[in-house]
Amino acid sequence: MLADAARGFLDEAAPVAHLRAQRDAGQTHDPELWKQMAEMGWAGVLVPEAAGGADMGFAAANVLAEEMGRSLTASPFLSTAVIAATALRQISDERARTALAAIAGGARTYALAIDEGSKHAPEASALRAERDGNGFRLSGEKRFVVDGGFANHLLVLARTDAGLTLFDIPADRAGIARTAQAMIDSRDAARITFDGVEATGDNVLGQVDDAMTVLAPALHAGQAALAAEMSGLAAGAFGMTLAYLKERTQFGVPIGSFQALQHRAAHLWSDCEVTASAILNAGRMLDGDPDNAALAVSLAKARATQTAQLAVQEGVQMHGGIGMTDEFDMGFYMKRARVGAEWLGDYGYHAGVVARLRGF
């Protein structure tokens, strides 16, 4: 029921044509669309009811992410409603409840500022948080900060005296400089520099030197939801391809009657189904046994990366020349698949996690 409702709304309010129009207008997000999502309760899908949210769980968040993937909906859902909300859920104080309520109401958006190199590597963060009286001063740079160009709050991972610390900092604080960049999928990312940015004790999420206790669950939630989005992307691309195989004729018959194309379509369908099962399992683990969900989450993200890549490549191939043109929507799916493959860990990163947790 949730999937059907989401699909009905997104087909009307945010089809791929909406993303194309945003790109052509030089826009990377639609604040009005996010407002509508918040009014439907999507922004608060992981926010406790006491803070004004729906608290529907991670499996439900994945359902919404999957439907957004089908139509390539650009929104701060993953960064804000999934990652930031999950991080804040680990904290039981009034500050966190206020932030969660602001997320559920659509008033506060977040961007996750953790990576500094070309690959996802939170543990390698070098941005420094130096002690300054009762607080800190943050200095350094973060790259590939998705939604970082417009979010009004940042979750910043910094190196402190004996480990890593996670900070929740308003994006307009003095010393923060954001260089917004439109990615190849026409969405927002930013390079953010911190020049002696002040952070007080109230900005620390969790405990000093112990960021991963708060951040790890948030990353797992974000990776699972991103995998779900990529699964939806693959399904959307496959649906377009299947429809084309049925309507395009050659030698007087639909090209879908050619056995070679049938085999390739069947292979892609099977791959999509196996990946969907992996994502369902990741949501189940996050809801039922979050402390042991890492294996299921990384398996889902690795599989979703491969499946989305296969779906868009086969889509372009089976559409022939038109698949290579900007006028045709398949290119948008291919570009989003490429960005999704890199964000929050690529195939190699998650295959490594799976191998390590399996004892190899």
Side-chain angles (χ1 to χ4, degrees):
M1 291 174 63
L2 180 62
D4 289 344
R7 191 175 306 175
F9 169 75
L10 293 171
D11 284 348
E12 180 177 348
V16 181
H18 184 72
L19 177 64
R20 181 184 292 276
Q22 284 185 197
R23 184 208 58 179
D24 293 346
Q27 299 172 340
T28 57
H29 72 292
D30 182 352
E32 183 58 33
L33 178 62
W34 180 240
K35 179 181 177 181
Q36 292 177 304
M37 290 181 179
E39 290 172 350
M40 292 190 297
W42 294 8
V45 65
L46 294 176
V47 174
E49 292 182 12
D55 201 10
M56 297 180 68
F58 295 101
N62 290 352
V63 167
L64 293 175
E66 181 176 351
E67 294 306 322
M68 291 181 197
R70 288 179 186 272
S71 60
L72 301 181
T73 304
S75 79
F77 178 77
L78 293 180
S79 297
T80 301
V82 176
I83 297 174
T86 303
L88 289 162
R89 283 173 64 105
Q90 313 307 310
I91 315 297
S92 56
D93 59 23
E94 188 58 35
R95 173 194 49 167
R97 285 190 288 271
T98 298
L100 285 166
I103 288 175
R108 184 177 295 190
T109 52
Y110 278 87
L112 185 64
I114 58 173
D115 288 321
E116 300 170 13
S118 59
K119 294 294 182 180
H120 178 65
E123 297 83 357
S125 291
L127 185 147
R128 293 292 305 178
E130 301 285 353
R131 288 281 186 180
D132 182 34
N134 293 326
F136 299 87
R137 290 284 178 177
L138 277 59
S139 297
E141 181 181 84
K142 296 292 184 181
R143 302 179 182 180
F144 195 21
V145 183
V146 175
D147 299 333
F150 67 85
N152 50 41
H153 271 251
L154 304 173
L155 292 182
V156 185
L157 186 62
R159 191 161 296 279
T160 42
D161 294 336
L164 295 170
T165 302
L166 188 64
F167 296 88
D168 180 351
I169 300 177
D172 59 356
R173 182 160 291 179
I176 294 177
R178 299 190 281 182
T179 303
Q181 301 169 319
M183 297 186 288
I184 59 169
D185 63 349
S186 305
R187 302 194 191 189
D188 170 77
R191 176 173 295 187
I192 303 180
T193 58
F194 298 80
D195 185 9
V197 176
E198 180 184 11
T200 67
D202 287 340
N203 296 128
V204 175
L205 281 188
Q207 301 297 319
V208 174
D209 298 326
D210 188 25
M212 297 313 291
T213 297
V214 173
L215 183 58
L219 287 176
H220 291 158
Q223 289 157 349
L226 179 56
E229 184 193 288
M230 296 178 73
S231 176
L233 179 158
F238 177 64
M240 291 176 60
T241 302
L242 195 61
Y244 186 73
L245 294 180
K246 293 177 179 179
E247 68 182 26
R248 175 75 164 90
T249 60
Q250 189 64 267
F251 308 114
V253 296
I255 62 174
S257 65
F258 301 156
Q259 192 175 56
L261 296 183
Q262 290 177 352
H263 286 172
R264 290 168 69 170
H267 175 216
L268 177 54
W269 179 85
S270 299
D271 208 78
C272 288
E273 289 298 301
V274 174
T275 296
S277 294
I279 291 164
L280 284 171
N281 184 55
R284 179 183 66 86
M285 289 296 294
L286 286 168
D287 282 327
D289 190 9
D291 292 339
N292 296 301
L295 176 60
V297 168
S298 283
L299 177 63
K301 178 60 164 67
R303 277 211 59 89
T305 296
Q306 282 193 319
T307 300
Q309 182 180 21
L310 177 65
V312 296
Q313 288 177 345
E314 288 288 71
V316 169
Q317 286 288 320
M318 286 194 263
H319 276 89
I322 192 175
M324 297 294 295
T325 65
D326 181 70
E327 288 79 4
F328 196 67
D329 287 341
M330 187 61 70
F332 286 91
Y333 284 88
M334 175 169 279
K335 292 171 183 177
R336 180 57 185 168
R338 191 70 196 91
V339 173
E342 292 296 326
W343 190 29
L344 301 179
D346 60 10
Y347 178 86
Y349 176 91
H350 288 286
V353 172
V354 172
R356 184 173 67 255
L357 292 175
R358 292 289 300 274
F360 293 102

